[in-house]
Amino acid sequence: MGILNVTPDSFSDGGRFVSKDAVRRQVDAMVAAGADMIDIGGESTRPGAPEVSLQEELDRVLPVMEWVKSHCDAYVSVDTYKPQVMKESIALSVDMINDINALESDGAVELVADSGVAVCLMHKKGTPKNMQANPVYENGVFNEVFKYLAARADACVQQGVKPEAITLDPGFGFGKTLTHNIELFERLEMFSELQYPLLVGVSRKRMIGELLGDVPVDERVIGSVAAASLAALKGAKILRVHDVAETVQALKVTMALL
Ligand code: 9MG
């Protein structure tokens, strides 16, 4: 899964707007490099990022989605927790809803259940604004995340989401310290017990920077690829990454030699 953040800071046209050509070039590059799915997001979820209005998010995401769907065969997911964005994406035949809020927003489960679209349910503690302010897991991070994902998947199935539509994600970096992230990674293969495919996103995240001695974002590619390869070995079926070519190459070699 290649990450496409349709935000002015990712694809600046030199000012406050997103450059359409730059977005299209990035999609083409990710697909050529081997991405099976493009994850389109219009609001950054990194810690402390500002919220974006509903209209702004729709304006950023929908035209790109329409273009990707008509232009290539890659699956398309939409990274959103807003039911209205989900609804309008479903109308454009989006393939997966990637929800960091695990369909907890009002009306989200019903939309996904009624449409039959696939969904990724992710764990997070707190909100992107406050989630890194001293997160605490009294019963251990693995136990809490595992129980939460099991309960959310059950609740969604009870409300009509087909089990085969569900993917789960422990949400690395979402309300987790480096120690929490390491504990989760150590036991990553145990999430397979839940019988749902697993999505892992660690690409260029702070945990990679910290493990390398606080290196900046643009020096986290090799560390991210190493972590993605290990996640695949531990059973992850979808890897959410910025650096598609590098990750695909590492996965090909890892899996061939396994
Ligand atoms: C939107 N987003 C940012 N990080 C993510 C992660 O780790 N998983 C998923 N599913 N989405 C993410």
Side-chain angles (χ1 to χ4, degrees), residues 82-97:
K82 294 181 185 138
Q84 190 63 26
V85 179
M86 295 177 191
K87 188 173 173 187
E88 300 202 24
S89 301
I90 290 166
L92 292 181
S93 306
V94 75
D95 299 288
M96 179 188 264
I97 306 293

Side-chain angles (χ1 to χ4, degrees), residues 10 23 33 35 52 67 83 166 169 192 241:
S10 299
V23 169
V52 167
W67 180 78
I166 295 176
D169 180 347
S192 307
V241 305

